[in-house]
Amino acid sequence: MLDSSVRNTISILVYDDVEAAQEYITRVFGLTGGAQDKDGSGAVKHGEVRAGDHVIWLHPAGEEFRSPRNAGGVTGMTVIMVDDVDEHHKCAVAAGAQIMQEPIDQPYGAREYGTRDHEGQLWFFHAPIDN
């Protein structure tokens, strides 16, 4: 059942080092950096990046939350729509991205590539194939 009051979503990704994650995601993937909240010691306890209108919160790892690097696996992935997959891939590679799947046309009508960030989160960059 759809709730007509639902307007948007916010994704949350867990990192051991939120500040480093925000820097990596903006530098390598080209997302826009957002707010950072710091604790009394100056450590970043919350960060944000934006992909178009979508906000992704960067949450610190803790007792109940683990980054993929420390969890021993990944339980989700983030898919970002881009205008030109091949150009985005080229820029990400030049910035040091760890590519796990080169750009490929998928049978479901999209061209995409996959990468892992510095802590092991999975990211796919995707565009519809114009027919």
Side-chain angles (χ1 to χ4, degrees):
M1 173 185 224
L2 289 176
D3 181 350
S4 63
S5 66
V6 174
R7 297 180 296 133
N8 206 342
T9 63
I10 295 174
S11 300
I12 302 173
L13 299 174
V14 176
Y15 287 95
D16 292 325
D17 185 336
V18 171
E19 187 170 19
Q22 188 179 43
E23 186 280 327
Y24 182 95
I25 292 165
T26 57
R27 179 177 51 82
V28 176
F29 299 152
L31 275 62
T32 303
Q36 279 188 355
D37 294 324
K38 297 182 179 185
D39 64 18
S41 70
V44 176
K45 62 179 183 172
H46 169 85
E48 293 181 3
V49 295
R50 294 183 181 273
D53 292 335
H54 187 72
V55 176
I56 301 170
W57 287 354
L58 310 177
H59 191 286
E63 188 175 316
E64 295 184 26
F65 303 105
R66 305 263 188 272
S67 78
R69 169 168 67 189
N70 290 320
V74 176
T75 60
M77 61 190 74
T78 303
V79 179
I80 304 290
M81 302 286 289
V82 296
D83 290 331
D84 184 331
V85 168
D86 295 290
E87 182 63 25
H88 192 276
H89 172 263
K90 180 177 133 184
C91 292
V93 167
Q98 177 189 349
I99 304 300
M100 52 175 278
Q101 176 188 301
E102 296 293 327
I104 186 171
D105 291 348
Q106 297 289 5
Y108 44 83
R111 182 162 180 81
E112 66 186 21
Y113 78 93
T115 181
R116 289 183 184 273
D117 68 24
H118 68 296
E119 286 198 27
Q121 299 280 7
L122 294 177
W123 295 77
F124 284 84
F125 294 89
H126 166 111
I129 297 172
D130 295 327
N131 290 325

